[in-house]
Amino acid sequence: MSSFPTLRIQKCSAHLLGLVLIMLMVACPSIVQAQRVPNEIENIDYLITYGAQADLARGDDDHVQILFFSVPKSYKAPFYIRVYDPDTGGQHDELHGAANTSIRFSLLGGKSAYTNKDAQKVNPTGNYASGNPLASKVFGSESTYDANWYSFGPFNPLQGEDVPDMDAHVFKLVVEGLQGDDGNQYRCFLSELNTSNRAIEGANVFAYEYTFKLPKSRGVSHIYPFVDKSVISVTQYNFDYDRDGDILLYSVAKNRHPGAISNDKEWAKSKHAVADAEKNTTLDIQFQKAKEGENAVSFYITNQYDEAIPFFTIPIGGPPRYRYDLKVNIKSASGN
Amino acid sequence: MRRLLLLPFFALPWAVCAQEISCAAVSYFQQHPECGSEGRGAKCIQLDITHSLDKEGKPFVFAWNFGDGTTKEGPLTEYCYAQYGTYQITMDLIDPVTKQVIHNELTTQVTLLPPVDFAIDTLRETSAVFKYDPELLPGIAVEKVYWKVENGHYCGETMRHAFAKPGLHIIEIAAVGKTAEKMSFNGCTLRGVFIAPKP
């Protein structure tokens, strides 16, 4: 689904994206220093991966989550990828009967960990777990890790895939629901430290698909895809949103365009043209949750070639603001 | 009638004349474009975002807060303040169905300056000294006076300017200080001066 039509376009897009990202990260260093996934700015509390036997109506379309961690080449020290509440059971997780679910977390680096096309697909087919295995652990319902952190690492930044266009080494975390029917809710943090969270300056985390839990209360959650200058249209796909409010596209040139919303256990999609002003900027996909209660949803967004577009936990260049043309006229008397 | 004192430029020693170099008048008039606009001395404003309405976007109610407790709705709205001053204006969006509010969708600041009423006589000299008279603003302890004429900016109570050519010229004048109640005062005005051609 995310394959590029030609190698030339793929290289061009990756190069452009990399250059723009480097420029924006240099220009906005203060906004790329927090690597909690999902991030506070997204207003998403937890990612969620269900066991392989869970009904799709729970909201997870494929029981696999793939995250990419980019570590800038300027960072040379060891680091850790920490996971909060990696077990399935106890607090924060979604249990259906007795806890019976096991989830595997696998860290991969080296050549093709990121650049393998299968890794960037929204469906886990082919060699999506490409690269060199660096660490792996299967979590069940161990109370040791309930509402607690588990640290993968230490890793040498050079163990990641060298991606020159991003000026970074990229690592991949693959989370797979092996068995069971429960939902494992978790967070990750890219940290300099083993026992606490200290962000790496200039690092970021991105994905091509999210399966996540919306906040229980009404409110707005955000996903921030970056649109490079080659994109002329985007198509947003959402699964099992349960018609729980609106999904709106917001940007410098779009003031909350309604997107199609899915019902229970179904996909919905809508296509939206990209204006010139939106190129090389971040979009804000807003989930305006209307009902109180639990809801998990899967989401991805593609360009005109049906290639998945990455979205970043820290929006590149900051969250977009719609550009109002406000005219303030000072008058000697009111017309009213 | 309030007037500027007009003196031949040689009537004052050079040292007391306002200096154009590194003068804060440049930044002052950049920050207060209202001094040179038709709205100087006004208390009413019109806010207009009709040119940036997104017809494909979800419909919202545009709710303005004018910074003095007054609120109004709509993409085009007007309001008259009771007093001069600087006001922080915010616009919220309200979902007409769910009533959810998106706060601070748009913010801006408006400064309404009281007029400083001066008058300037017709001049017959192309180079003249203008002197601000403190008695023109009774009750105000003026601390700084700024001038803008042609392309020149000046600071100080006295300003000498050599007009490049005869005809009508606009002089912008601003005074910053304190009121008798120790409140900050910031006022400006704009007047024309006619330089008569030499016979």
Side-chain angles (χ1 to χ4, degrees):
Chain A
M1 183 170 288
S2 62
S3 60
F4 292 85
T6 69
L7 183 60
R8 184 189 62 80
I9 290 175
Q10 181 189 19
K11 282 185 173 178
C12 178
S13 298
H15 183 65
L16 289 171
L17 176 63
L19 288 177
V20 171
L21 296 188
I22 290 168
M23 286 190 293
L24 290 170
M25 286 178 177
V26 169
C28 313
S30 62
I31 60 171
V32 292
Q33 293 184 8
Q35 289 105 32
R36 198 196 92 170
V37 189
N39 198 269
E40 291 90 340
I41 199 171
E42 296 175 301
N43 193 31
I44 295 172
D45 291 333
Y46 294 97
L47 300 178
I48 188 166
T49 301
Y50 287 82
Q53 284 76 47
D55 190 335
L56 294 181
R58 304 291 183 207
D60 188 350
D61 66 315
D62 54 18
H63 313 288
V64 173
Q65 188 108 255
I66 300 176
L67 303 174
F68 295 98
F69 298 77
S70 68
V71 179
K73 289 183 177 175
S74 58
Y75 183 79
K76 312 286 188 187
F79 71 92
Y80 301 83
I81 292 176
R82 310 185 74 223
V83 182
Y84 178 74
D85 194 49
D87 73 309
T88 306
Q91 300 181 58
H92 307 305
D93 298 306
E94 184 186 311
L95 299 181
H96 300 279
N100 62 355
T101 297
S102 55
I103 305 286
R104 180 169 61 209
F105 290 75
S106 306
L107 260 297
L108 300 115
K111 189 177 179 181
S112 79
Y114 162 59
T115 53
N116 188 301
K117 292 179 183 176
D118 289 343
Q120 299 175 20
K121 288 181 177 176
V122 296
N123 291 319
T125 56
N127 191 22
Y128 63 91
S130 56
N132 300 328
L134 301 177
S136 181
K137 184 172 177 59
V138 176
F139 293 91
S141 59
E142 303 95 325
S143 59
T144 306
Y145 305 114
D146 184 40
N148 210 340
W149 290 90
Y150 179 84
S151 295
F152 289 97
F155 300 113
N156 182 333
L158 296 176
Q159 291 178 277
E161 180 174 8
D162 183 352
V163 183
D165 289 336
M166 290 186 180
D167 198 27
H169 292 99
V170 177
F171 293 76
K172 178 170 60 181
L173 175 65
V174 179
V175 185
E176 298 168 282
L178 300 180
Q179 59 183 4
D181 61 357
D182 306 312
N184 182 14
Q185 297 186 181
Y186 53 92
R187 295 173 184 159
C188 301
F189 203 101
L190 181 59
S191 176
E192 292 184 358
L193 302 177
N194 182 20
T195 55
S196 62
N197 294 328
R198 182 192 288 172
I200 298 173
E201 184 174 348
N204 208 336
V205 186
F206 59 97
Y208 290 88
E209 184 185 13
Y210 251 8
T211 299
F212 62 97
K213 206 66 170 286
L214 291 161
K216 292 179 183 174
S217 59
R218 298 165 65 198
V220 183
S221 299
H222 307 263
I223 286 180
Y224 295 106
F226 184 82
V227 173
D228 69 35
K229 72 177 188 181
S230 69
V231 178
I232 61 172
S233 69
V234 296
T235 302
Q236 65 87 20
Y237 296 78
N238 59 90
F239 177 72
D240 193 51
Y241 189 53
D242 300 335
R243 305 190 71 80
D244 189 4
D246 294 317
I247 295 177
L248 306 173
L249 277 76
Y250 178 74
S251 73
V252 295
K254 286 186 175 62
N255 199 351
R256 301 177 174 85
H257 287 196
I261 55 173
S262 56
N263 211 329
D264 186 44
K265 204 177 178 178
E266 70 175 21
W267 283 99
K269 67 174 183 178
S270 54
K271 186 176 182 179
H272 306 262
V274 171
D276 286 344
E278 295 174 295
K279 296 185 177 183
N280 286 334
T281 70
T282 288
L283 302 183
D284 178 3
I285 311 298
Q286 300 184 349
F287 297 77
Q288 293 201 333
K289 191 170 187 289
K291 305 170 193 168
E292 304 275 346
E294 303 264 1
N295 190 7
V297 61
S298 296
F299 177 87
Y300 66 93
I301 186 167
T302 63
N303 63 16
Q304 67 273 18
Y305 303 117
D306 214 17
E307 302 161 350
I309 296 174
F311 41 87
F312 293 80
T313 55
I314 302 296
I316 302 299
R321 298 280 295 184
Y322 179 71
R323 292 174 185 162
Y324 284 96
D325 177 17
L326 170 62
K327 289 182 169 52
V328 180
N329 298 314
I330 298 176
K331 304 172 64 178
S332 57
S334 172
N336 289 340
Chain B
M1 182 178 182
R2 292 175 173 176
R3 290 180 181 277
L4 278 180
L5 301 181
L6 305 177
L7 303 171
F9 76 95
F10 48 80
L12 287 170
W14 291 105
V16 301
C17 288
Q19 298 299 305
E20 188 173 354
I21 299 171
S22 302
C23 179
V26 176
S27 60
Y28 179 90
F29 286 110
Q30 286 176 342
Q31 293 167 14
H32 296 90
E34 61 274 15
C35 288
S37 73
E38 293 179 358
R40 62 191 175 280
K43 290 182 179 176
C44 298
I45 64 167
Q46 180 190 66
L47 302 173
D48 183 1
I49 57 166
T50 56
H51 296 287
S52 54
L53 294 180
D54 187 347
K55 293 176 181 175
E56 295 181 56
K58 181 179 177 178
F60 284 97
V61 174
F62 301 95
W64 299 91
N65 185 322
F66 288 90
D68 65 347
T70 303
T71 58
K72 283 192 167 188
E73 294 180 352
L76 176 64
T77 187
E78 294 184 354
Y79 175 61
C80 292
Y81 288 92
Q83 297 187 0
Y84 294 106
T86 298
Y87 298 94
Q88 194 71 27
I89 299 171
T90 60
M91 184 189 76
D92 295 340
L93 296 184
I94 302 173
D95 188 320
V97 178
T98 66
K99 305 303 179 190
Q100 284 182 291
V101 179
I102 300 168
H103 293 284
N104 297 327
E105 174 77 359
L106 187 60
T107 61
T108 191
Q109 181 175 289
V110 64
T111 297
L112 303 173
L113 300 180
V116 182
D117 193 12
F118 295 124
I120 299 173
D121 289 336
T122 298
L123 298 179
R124 295 195 177 279
E125 301 286 343
T126 57
S127 181
V129 170
F130 298 82
K131 187 174 187 308
Y132 166 75
D133 185 349
E135 294 181 3
L136 295 176
L137 287 171
I140 303 294
V142 172
E143 298 168 346
K144 292 188 173 79
V145 178
Y146 301 121
W147 309 76
K148 180 181 177 186
V149 53
E150 292 187 306
N151 292 323
H153 294 78
Y154 304 91
C155 299
E157 294 191 0
T158 303
M159 177 269 284
R160 180 185 65 82
H161 182 74
F163 293 95
K165 57 184 179 181
L168 180 64
H169 296 272
I170 301 299
I171 298 180
E172 292 180 49
I173 311 147
V176 177
K178 291 277 194 303
T179 66
E181 297 78 26
K182 304 299 180 189
M183 304 291 287
S184 60
F185 173 84
N186 186 352
C188 62
T189 193
L190 176 150
R191 284 291 181 270
V193 57
F194 187 77
I195 307 297
K198 290 182 179 178

